Amino acid sequence: MNYNMEKISIKELYKNEIEKIWNDAKIDNTDLIDRGYVVHDEIIKNAILFIGINPSYPKENPAPGNHFVNHDENEKLYAYFKKFQKIATETKQSWSHLDLLYFRETKQKYIWDLLKENNGGGCDFVYKQLMLSKEMIFKAKPKIIVVSNTLARHFMGFEKSEDRKNGVWMDFDCSFDNDLGTHRLTNTELKGTPIFFTSMLTGQRALDKGSFKRLAWHINFVLEKLKNSNS
């Protein structure tokens, strides 16, 4: 499969900024810094963009250090990415994946612990990564965004409180489009971009087979709607 393949190199554009975040970090858990970061290098423009929260840190063979990685469809994919590939194949679209945060930690609860650090270093560390990820999303100009993590949804800004003191973060807004049956972005240069909020696509809390099939159908339905409206 080789559809819309104009690529953006995250490594080329953002490596220096990511390194600066790591070098300037003032967090209590220095082990987190020593583990290094993992960032997806190439993001494909005008494709389906799957958004997660952060790379895991396996207990076995953790391979510490900084890594820019790619997931070429011709290579053997980790199980986590196979569902993305399946949706892309069924919809005849290219796909990319972006974690909003780059540090390696398997337990998501740790992210909340990081935000509660008294010196504010954890919040600063997280916020700077989110702002870089926001730029990456803008540059990717995705055709459709699929957010398959509740914490990622929170950081993107879809759970803003009325006083806007909590849950703003990346400051995306959206509204539900009844014709498409899903949300669209409303307040950024990506205004009008369809966005899906789902459960995780793999793992213990993943969508069941029926729900996954409906998601793939729904994404394809939206793509057809967009195609017809632009023709």
Side-chain angles (χ1 to χ4, degrees):
M1 185 173 62
N2 185 16
Y3 301 105
N4 304 307
M5 296 297 287
E6 183 181 353
K7 297 179 180 180
I8 301 167
S9 174
I10 299 304
K11 181 177 182 179
E12 180 179 332
L13 292 173
Y14 295 105
K15 180 180 179 181
N16 290 342
E17 292 180 70
I18 295 171
E19 292 281 356
K20 189 174 190 310
I21 291 173
W22 251 246
N23 292 334
D24 294 348
K26 295 179 175 62
I27 62 175
D28 296 340
N29 185 0
T30 56
D31 179 57
L32 196 71
I33 300 300
D34 294 338
R35 292 177 187 177
Y37 56 76
V38 174
V39 183
H40 292 247
D41 180 9
E42 294 180 339
I43 293 182
I44 301 171
K45 291 185 67 174
N46 195 35
I48 299 175
L49 179 61
F50 295 94
I51 290 181
I53 188 63
N54 73 286
S56 63
Y57 191 71
K59 293 181 179 179
E60 297 181 2
N61 302 318
N66 300 327
H67 305 277
F68 285 88
V69 297
N70 288 310
H71 297 283
D72 190 284
E73 61 195 18
N74 296 315
E75 298 176 354
K76 182 178 180 180
L77 292 173
Y78 290 108
Y80 178 77
F81 300 102
K82 288 182 178 179
K83 290 293 183 70
F84 306 153
Q85 178 68 68
K86 185 172 177 60
I87 287 177
T89 299
E90 292 189 11
T91 58
K92 297 182 180 180
Q93 298 292 316
S94 293
W95 67 278
S96 292
H97 177 269
L98 176 68
D99 281 322
L100 298 183
L101 303 173
Y102 321 133
F103 59 82
R104 309 175 70 190
E105 171 57 46
T106 301
K107 296 180 180 179
Q108 289 189 25
K109 178 184 178 297
Y110 175 74
I111 298 175
W112 292 111
D113 295 337
L114 192 63
L115 296 177
K116 294 175 183 177
E117 289 188 359
N118 291 329
N119 64 1
C123 279
D124 182 68
F125 183 59
V126 167
Y127 181 75
K128 287 177 179 177
Q129 291 171 72
L130 293 176
M131 291 303 99
L132 277 189
S133 291
K134 186 175 182 178
E135 285 188 33
M136 295 172 193
I137 294 170
F138 283 165
K139 285 188 178 296
K141 299 185 184 302
K143 188 174 292 184
I144 283 179
I145 298 172
V146 180
V147 183
S148 56
N149 180 279
T150 55
L151 191 50
R153 181 182 66 199
H154 170 77
F155 282 133
M156 290 184 75
F158 295 116
E159 298 173 359
K160 298 173 184 176
S161 61
E162 292 182 1
D163 59 11
R164 296 182 65 84
K165 290 181 180 179
N166 298 297
V168 177
W169 294 102
M170 298 170 76
D171 201 27
F172 286 97
D173 282 332
C174 67
S175 63
F176 193 81
D177 186 317
N178 288 310
D179 290 332
L180 297 184
T182 192
H183 291 80
R184 284 183 184 249
L185 296 179
T186 59
N187 69 329
T188 71
E189 61 190 72
L190 298 179
K191 184 177 180 179
T193 302
I195 184 165
F196 288 81
F197 301 107
T198 79
S199 300
M200 294 182 67
L201 303 186
T202 58
Q204 293 181 343
R205 299 181 181 179
L207 290 176
D208 60 76
K209 291 182 179 179
S211 297
F212 178 81
K213 187 69 176 178
R214 285 192 293 273
L215 174 63
W217 177 90
H218 199 173
I219 291 173
N220 201 50
F221 171 81
V222 169
L223 287 167
E224 288 296 320
K225 281 275 192 178
L226 295 178
K227 180 180 177 181
N228 292 334
S229 66
N230 292 329
S231 61

